[in-house]
Amino acid sequence: MKRGWGLGVGGWGLVGAGLAAVAVLCAQAPAPDPMFQAMHDEMDRARKLALNNLEAPYFVQYLVDESENFSVSASLGGLVSRRRDRYREPEVKVRVGDYKFDNTNFAGGFGGGSRYDLGRFPLENSYPLLRRFLWLETDSAYKAAVEAISRKRAALRNISQSGELNDFAHAEPVHHIREFQKLSIDEEAWAKRVRALSALFAQYPEVKNSSIEMESSAGGYTLVNSEGTEVREPENVTYLRARAIAQAPDGTTMRDAVTFHALDLARLAPEAEMTRSVTALAENVVALAHAPKGEDYSGPVLFEGVAGAQILAEVLGRNLDLARRPVGDGGRGGGGFTPSEFEGRIGARVLPDSFDVVDDPTQKEWRGRPLFGAYEVDREGVLAKPLRLIEKGVLKGYLLTRQPVRGFEGSNGRARLPGNYGAANATFSNLFVSASDAVPVAELKKKLIDLCQTRGKPYGIIVRKMDFPSSASLGEVRRMFAGSQGGGRPVSMPILVYKIYPDGREELVRGLRFRGFSARSLKDILAAGDDSAAFEFLDSAAPFALIGASGFTAEACVVAPSILIDDLELHPVEEEQPKLPLVTAPELSRSELVRYPN
């Protein structure tokens, strides 16, 4: 006898109603996210890992970057490349030991992380496939972690550990979920625009080489860790960059670049503004090629407009990241480490007492324009908050990650780039530099001239643009580091440098480089302008934030005034220069560009 068939009409009505109710509940309840589900399930298994009776993990973090990108580049009106792609890249971190002592911060190990061991990470949200990749990545990271902690213990066996810093800091669990956006872009329209902008350089035959490159991406990162944090943070960015190179009669390469940035493609600069900037770029490199070579100079220098924000981004902002020296195989002091110039200077004056500096990732606009450095949570799952770094010229804090540093145990949410030895790199977001006794920029110029006359100097120096982020070649960067003095960080080259004479006349000069410029030079700021320039750039761990030298970047912005600094040194670049081309460049008329648009 089969049960359930003799229910009658009334019975079927009750069953049908129940099934309908279940269907409604299923429709309302969101389906489990395959990425989060795979991360949590593998993390549960990772907590039970053990190898030959060695330590089990005390902390596990899964982070997957993903992005959909469109990029196009052109030169002299013709497309050079065009592509659209999508990627996912995992970062699996496994820490063994405990928060006080673990496998990270060791130059002789693998840092407890595993990247790209299996080639490309799955693009589809296939739960079994995601589990398989996370399993193998976790296995690899765990094996590296137990080997690293063993070697680290051996390296420190004969060294006292009293007073040592913890290797990792606790953080409160965070649940921060924002959905990613799809990349929506008119590819044909942007290819046409990039081609048209690149064609502008054809009007300047002395420009030896030029390019326009545009990239727009939409995506973000998903993060889960064993402390209970869940993060899905969108990261959308678009940039359009123009570069140009010319040669002076002595063969010196003169280069310049201009970049437009936006977190929202729709808010990128209008085409008319781009056209003006690209035209000015071409005119700059041509003028530099004809400018006389600069001479040795020691005295006051005015960083005007965007140059003030650039020099503060490089010399001030990049020294606010306080990293730790890793343990080496032979004990303390792993190599390849350049400390911050502000290390150990909390409570000391680092700027004139009229200056305040605040880093604020929560501020999304300034004077009606979007701020490029805004974000909500960092790559260690720590929420970002405003941070007062310098008050009345006195250093009050640093940009911190979850790696403890002397005097600071926890993070303030600035871990925005992958780092070395299991740590993350800290960067600033929207850095606001202000001065309470600002004066009009015209007075800064007058003060510069008066100082030079008082000291018997024939002219002063104005810098209106720095090469930061740098468009230099890798070879040039190596030469700059090899030629730096005192073992500190060299400063990027100034691009637009002008002599200003007592009568106010200005003369563009080329080929100068700073000598001995460090963060300590900022104490010699004599005055700040009442202007403010917002300088946006893609920061990275590369020297001078070198364009294209790093696969990972962080959006950053500095809002700062013009500044007059006393007693800086500039000297001519003395390097062997490439020879000029043997024959002149072929002529290229506007009609040919129109005729051959592809």
Side-chain angles (χ1 to χ4, degrees):
M1 180 178 178
K2 294 183 180 178
R3 296 182 182 269
W5 288 98
L7 295 174
V9 176
W12 277 112
L14 291 173
V15 173
L19 290 174
V22 171
V24 170
L25 289 173
C26 290
Q28 291 175 344
D33 183 287
M35 180 70 78
F36 277 125
Q37 192 67 44
M39 287 179 167
H40 280 296
D41 290 347
E42 274 310 304
M43 191 162 295
D44 288 341
R45 295 208 306 164
R47 291 190 182 100
K48 304 167 188 173
L49 277 171
L51 183 65
N52 296 330
N53 298 318
L54 298 175
E55 295 99 332
Y58 79 92
F59 177 85
V60 179
Q61 177 176 288
Y62 296 140
L63 185 150
V64 175
D65 287 291
E66 61 181 278
S67 180
E68 187 177 6
N69 303 329
F70 171 73
S71 62
V72 59
S73 64
S75 182
L76 295 176
L79 290 188
V80 174
S81 69
R82 173 176 171 169
R83 61 183 298 176
R84 182 165 184 150
D85 55 21
R86 185 181 169 210
Y87 74 88
R88 277 179 170 171
E89 292 178 352
E91 181 181 69
V92 175
K93 290 190 175 182
V94 174
R95 291 173 178 261
V96 297
D98 54 34
Y99 286 92
K100 183 173 179 60
F101 183 85
D102 67 20
N103 51 290
T104 66
N105 194 40
F106 177 50
F110 302 100
S114 175
R115 298 191 64 85
Y116 324 133
D117 294 344
L118 302 173
R120 300 201 64 159
F121 197 73
L123 294 177
E124 294 185 348
N125 280 335
S126 166
Y127 173 80
L129 187 57
L130 294 172
R131 284 286 303 270
R132 178 59 61 103
F133 270 70
L134 290 173
W135 162 57
L136 291 172
E137 291 276 3
T138 305
D139 181 79
S140 174
Y142 175 62
K143 290 171 181 174
V146 294
E147 180 180 348
I149 197 170
S150 175
R151 295 175 65 185
K152 182 178 177 181
R153 284 196 178 106
L156 296 175
R157 188 167 294 145
N158 298 317
I159 297 177
S160 172
Q161 296 294 301
S162 61
E164 287 297 310
L165 294 168
N166 291 346
D167 277 334
F168 199 47
H170 290 268
E172 292 298 317
V174 168
H175 185 79
H176 177 90
I177 308 295
R178 298 168 61 206
E179 292 306 312
F180 297 160
Q181 299 175 11
K182 294 287 186 180
L183 180 62
S184 178
I185 183 171
D186 188 335
E187 298 182 16
E188 293 301 326
W190 274 104
K192 181 179 179 181
R193 183 175 300 179
V194 168
R195 185 188 291 119
L197 289 170
S198 73
L200 294 172
F201 289 106
Q203 303 171 40
Y204 301 88
E206 290 177 279
V207 174
K208 180 181 174 182
N209 198 8
S210 62
S211 66
I212 303 286
E213 50 194 325
M214 178 267 186
E215 181 171 313
S216 185
S217 64
Y221 57 88
T222 303
L223 180 152
V224 169
N225 70 31
S226 52
E227 295 170 329
T229 288
E230 279 190 331
V231 169
R232 176 162 284 159
E233 175 72 349
E235 289 186 323
N236 306 321
V237 65
T238 298
Y239 69 81
L240 185 140
R241 182 182 297 127
R243 303 196 220 191
I245 294 174
Q247 272 188 290
D250 62 0
T252 303
T253 298
M254 310 311 304
R255 52 181 168 73
D256 196 2
V258 62
T259 306
F260 298 92
H261 304 89
L263 297 177
D264 181 357
L265 174 62
R267 304 189 75 167
L268 200 63
E271 189 169 1
E273 183 180 343
M274 292 180 181
T275 298
R276 288 193 297 271
S277 295
V278 171
T279 301
L281 171 65
E283 292 173 349
N284 283 347
V285 295
V286 171
L288 284 167
H290 289 279
K293 194 170 183 179
E295 307 152 340
D296 283 306
Y297 175 85
S298 177
V301 176
L302 171 59
F303 294 87
E304 188 177 287
V306 71
Q310 284 180 297
I311 201 66
L312 288 169
E314 182 176 9
V315 181
L316 173 68
R318 293 192 123 204
N319 274 298
L320 293 168
D321 166 18
L322 190 62
R324 270 168 63 176
R325 184 182 298 276
V327 175
D329 266 324
R332 285 290 162 208
F337 174 81
T338 303
S340 164
E341 295 178 50
F342 289 153
E343 185 174 358
R345 302 197 65 198
I346 289 293
R349 186 175 73 85
V350 295
L351 288 172
D353 57 15
S354 61
F355 276 76
D356 292 320
V357 179
V358 174
D359 185 51
D360 190 355
T362 67
Q363 188 163 334
K364 298 184 183 302
E365 288 192 349
W366 176 76
R367 296 182 180 177
R369 65 176 288 171
L371 283 172
F372 192 56
Y375 70 98
E376 297 189 18
V377 63
D378 73 0
R379 291 176 63 90
E380 290 181 326
V382 179
L383 295 173
K385 298 178 181 178
L387 177 64
R388 184 168 292 276
L389 294 160
I390 297 173
E391 188 172 359
K392 295 183 179 180
V394 175
L395 184 65
K396 297 292 186 180
Y398 300 109
L399 307 168
L400 301 173
T401 70
R402 292 185 64 178
Q403 182 183 62
V405 296
R406 191 70 61 190
F408 297 89
E409 172 65 22
S411 170
N412 51 33
R414 266 57 183 187
R416 302 182 63 210
L417 291 171
N420 296 321
Y421 314 119
N425 281 338
T427 64
F428 58 83
S429 56
N430 296 314
L431 196 70
F432 293 90
V433 182
S434 59
S436 59
D437 58 356
V439 301
V441 176
E443 288 191 26
L444 291 181
K445 285 187 184 180
K446 185 177 184 303
K447 187 175 182 67
L448 171 62
I449 292 173
D450 290 345
L451 282 170
C452 290
Q453 288 183 308
T454 300
R455 299 174 187 178
K457 295 185 176 297
Y459 59 83
I461 290 290
I462 298 177
V463 177
R464 293 200 171 100
K465 189 173 186 181
M466 296 290 298
D467 184 37
F468 182 83
S470 180
S471 59
S473 66
L474 286 173
E476 185 177 349
V477 170
R478 292 191 190 98
R479 291 192 295 272
M480 290 180 70
F481 271 86
S484 64
Q485 299 179 346
R489 305 178 184 180
V491 174
S492 61
M493 288 185 62
I495 291 180
L496 298 181
V497 183
Y498 298 84
K499 293 180 179 179
I500 182 167
Y501 294 93
D503 61 1
R505 178 173 57 90
E506 296 183 9
E507 180 186 19
L508 179 68
V509 294
R510 62 176 172 87
L512 289 175
R513 182 177 294 168
F514 285 106
R515 175 189 287 138
F517 194 163
S518 70
R520 294 181 181 271
S521 304
L522 298 179
K523 291 196 297 183
D524 295 328
I525 295 177
L526 299 173
D530 60 359
D531 59 337
S532 287
F535 167 61
E536 303 169 343
F537 71 105
L538 289 169
D539 200 2
S540 71
F544 314 122
L546 187 66
I547 294 171
S550 175
F552 286 87
T553 57
E555 299 79 25
C557 178
V558 177
V559 178
S562 301
I563 54 174
L564 176 61
I565 304 181
D566 196 10
D567 200 22
L568 293 178
E569 291 185 41
L570 289 139
H571 67 100
V573 176
E574 300 294 345
E575 295 174 356
E576 186 176 342
Q577 301 298 334
K579 295 181 180 180
L580 294 171
L582 296 177
V583 296
T584 59
E587 293 185 5
L588 188 62
S589 68
R590 184 70 183 175
S591 60
E592 288 174 313
L593 292 176
V594 173
R595 183 181 175 188
Y596 302 108
N598 294 320

